[in-house]
Amino acid sequence: MLTNGSGTTNSGGSGDAIVVTASYTYNTANNGKIYIYGHDNGFNYYRIQVIGANVLNISLDTKELKAEATANIFSDGNLVSVANVKSNTIIFVYGVLGNLVKTVNTTTDTSFNLPNGMYVAKVKSAEGEKSVKLLIH
């Protein structure tokens, strides 16, 4: 039986981490908490964790809760630009069939050319990671 619940956010900005907690009572001897970790946009949940009596800290997660990369990636014609790079950043560019097309390592803002097509660019840095769709024409 769920007895109560609450939600808290880190700083309230769009895309910030949110932790929703709920207390539960299984019977008079077994109480615990359920934690759901995600973003405040309501679409991305990273971890569901159950803690309580007779529970061994069960955690179901797809990845660690981590901030999104600060680098921005966008295209203009055949030119792909990477801006707001703050640390060592690696960009993986994949074709629509999932094949790795290009890998770029950088510590500063940069740009590179790609042939016409649709791509997915995955940006990884110390600040976090994100994926962006690119249409090159």
Side-chain angles (χ1 to χ4, degrees), residues 57-131:
N57 197 1
I58 297 172
S59 179
L60 306 171
D61 59 6
T62 57
K63 61 181 176 181
E64 291 297 317
L65 183 62
K66 195 170 187 181
E68 191 172 89
T70 58
N72 296 318
I73 186 165
F74 54 92
S75 63
D76 184 16
N78 287 25
L79 184 67
V80 177
S81 299
V82 183
N84 200 27
V85 175
K86 294 186 177 184
S87 65
N88 187 28
T89 301
I90 186 166
I91 300 115
F92 300 100
V93 180
Y94 298 93
V96 292
L97 299 177
N99 54 319
L100 182 62
V101 175
K102 189 171 193 78
T103 303
V104 177
N105 285 298
T106 186
T107 56
T108 61
D109 294 0
T110 189
S111 60
F112 53 90
N113 287 304
L114 285 175
N116 292 347
M118 291 185 64
Y119 301 91
V120 174
K122 183 175 184 179
V123 180
K124 293 177 92 174
S125 68
E127 293 80 36
E129 59 184 69
K130 68 178 170 183
S131 296

